[in-house]
Amino acid sequence: ETPVLFKKELQNEEAKEGKQVKLTCELSKPGAPVKWMKGDTVLYASEKYELKQHGTVAELIIRDVKSIDS
């Protein structure tokens, strides 16, 4: 089976504190499982994080951005 690769890698984004930011990447295979991480910590859907996946595009929305989120 072919490995899943990034067609469009994650880009750095800037956001003002208290606002939200959306991180997006594109994969080579639709519906491939995506695990969002900050360092060694896996991020899960919550009030702070929204995870979406549409075909080959995966998105992470971080709400109420703080400097610790960088």
Side-chain angles (χ1 to χ4, degrees):
E1 190 172 312
T2 0
V4 177
L5 304 170
F6 286 107
K7 284 175 70 177
K8 180 182 172 196
E9 294 202 16
L10 198 57
Q11 301 294 309
N12 287 329
E13 297 289 341
E14 289 187 19
K16 294 187 180 201
E17 282 201 32
K19 300 293 184 183
Q20 74 175 28
V21 66
K22 178 166 64 172
L23 303 174
T24 305
C25 64
E26 188 173 355
L27 308 167
S28 61
K29 185 177 180 182
V34 173
K35 186 189 308 183
W36 289 95
M37 300 182 72
K38 181 178 187 286
D40 293 332
T41 306
V42 177
L43 304 178
Y44 296 99
S46 64
E47 276 189 31
K48 176 96 175 152
Y49 304 113
E50 183 178 348
L51 290 64
K52 295 181 177 182
Q53 195 163 352
H54 313 283
T56 58
V57 178
E59 297 177 345
L60 169 66
I61 297 168
I62 304 173
R63 296 187 186 93
D64 191 20
V65 172
K66 305 283 186 214
S67 58
I68 195 161
D69 294 316
S70 62

